[in-house]
Amino acid sequence: MTTRIGVVTFPGSLDDRDAQRAIRLVDAEPVELWHADHDLQGVDAIVLPGGFSYGDYLRPGAIAAVSPIMTEVVEAARKGMPVLGICNGFQVLVESHLLPGGLIRNAHQQFIRRDQRLVVENADTAWTNRFEQGEEIVIPLKNGDGGFIADDETLKRLEGEGLVAFRYAGVNPNGSLDDIAGLTNERGNVVGLMPHPEHAVEPGFGPDMTDAMRSGVDGLRFFESAVAALATRV
């Protein structure tokens, strides 16, 4: 039975079609979900894509977090459905309180785009099980509001409970505390990160790697992980 992964489109989403293509590349079926609906169409997992939902008014992700579809997304996530938030999607997860902390303007106050090295800190989630803990990967990054913040107590809990999914390596591009690039929830079904794995899924179109330009496909394993995680369910 084909895995069906929904991709939510909000007004201002930019990377929803890229996420759909990544899903097809792992032989899963992408399902278009609309922000104003209350129907998840029976999907097995959900991707909240990058972009500027609702123009980033108020705060990035703040309006999207209270859009109609998010009522269903939050409920499904709390029941264990795999949910991946990419960049703006990560911001939506934080604003929806599915993940802790907050995301603010980059420390240097400028939009940044780079091929970013990451360290995989948690390889035991629905979206990271095809990685090895401690592995270094390269994923494109593009954001203006990617600085992760949290109070001291929250940071201690994230570190102590292994809820940091990814950490920036080599350079911290946006001033995120503890070099945090992505998080997971306690159950491991919800993952959010600022870099864009959907832009590292095809040779010739991914980030530059040491062996060849634009050859990076580390992002494909996020989607392979979700398919693998869902295949283990009865």
Side-chain angles (χ1 to χ4, degrees):
M1 188 172 182
T2 303
T3 301
R4 303 175 75 245
I5 302 179
V7 179
V8 179
T9 296
F10 301 98
S13 293
L14 298 179
D15 301 295
D16 46 345
R17 297 301 177 91
D18 301 84
Q20 291 170 26
R21 180 163 181 77
I23 291 165
R24 291 189 189 95
L25 289 172
V26 296
D27 295 324
E29 177 187 351
V31 179
E32 296 182 14
L33 302 177
W34 184 238
H35 72 111
D37 293 339
H38 280 285
D39 184 5
L40 296 182
Q41 300 185 39
V43 298
D44 304 302
I46 295 170
V47 175
L48 304 179
F52 303 91
S53 59
Y54 297 92
D56 277 354
Y57 291 111
L58 299 182
R59 294 181 307 278
I63 299 177
V66 295
S67 64
I69 196 71
M70 286 305 296
T71 301
E72 279 65 40
V73 172
V74 170
E75 181 180 357
R78 288 177 175 163
K79 291 179 179 179
M81 180 179 288
V83 178
L84 176 66
I86 302 170
C87 195
N88 188 232
F90 184 16
Q91 294 161 342
V92 175
L93 290 176
V94 168
E95 293 286 344
S96 302
H97 306 294
L98 287 173
L99 293 175
L103 291 153
I104 62 173
R105 193 71 179 165
N106 293 344
H108 44 68
Q109 300 296 304
Q110 295 180 3
F111 187 93
I112 188 169
R113 190 299 183 211
R114 58 178 287 120
D115 293 338
Q116 179 65 48
R117 291 162 51 208
L118 302 175
V119 173
V120 179
E121 296 286 350
N122 188 326
D124 192 27
T125 80
W127 298 95
T128 63
N129 59 75
R130 285 298 180 262
F131 296 103
E132 298 291 334
Q133 186 168 342
E135 180 181 359
E136 187 173 293
I137 61 176
V138 180
I139 302 291
L141 174 76
K142 51 173 186 174
N143 66 73
D145 296 87
F148 179 77
I149 58 170
D151 59 35
D152 290 342
E153 183 177 345
T154 299
L155 285 173
K156 288 179 182 178
R157 182 173 68 85
L158 293 174
E159 299 287 0
E161 297 180 12
L163 302 182
V164 176
F166 298 95
R167 212 180 300 271
Y168 296 116
V171 63
N172 183 327
N174 46 35
S176 292
L177 297 179
D178 288 359
D179 299 328
I180 291 173
L183 300 174
T184 180
N185 65 347
E186 292 85 349
R187 193 168 181 172
N189 63 300
V190 177
V191 170
L193 76 163
M194 288 310 297
H196 286 258
E198 78 281 12
H199 294 323
V201 295
E202 291 184 278
F205 299 93
D208 293 342
M209 305 296 283
T210 55
D211 55 340
M213 294 176 60
R214 300 183 180 180
S215 63
V217 292
D218 289 333
L220 197 63
R221 282 186 281 168
F222 284 79
F223 304 95
E224 291 173 340
S225 293
V227 172
L230 290 163
T232 64
R233 294 187 177 184
V234 178

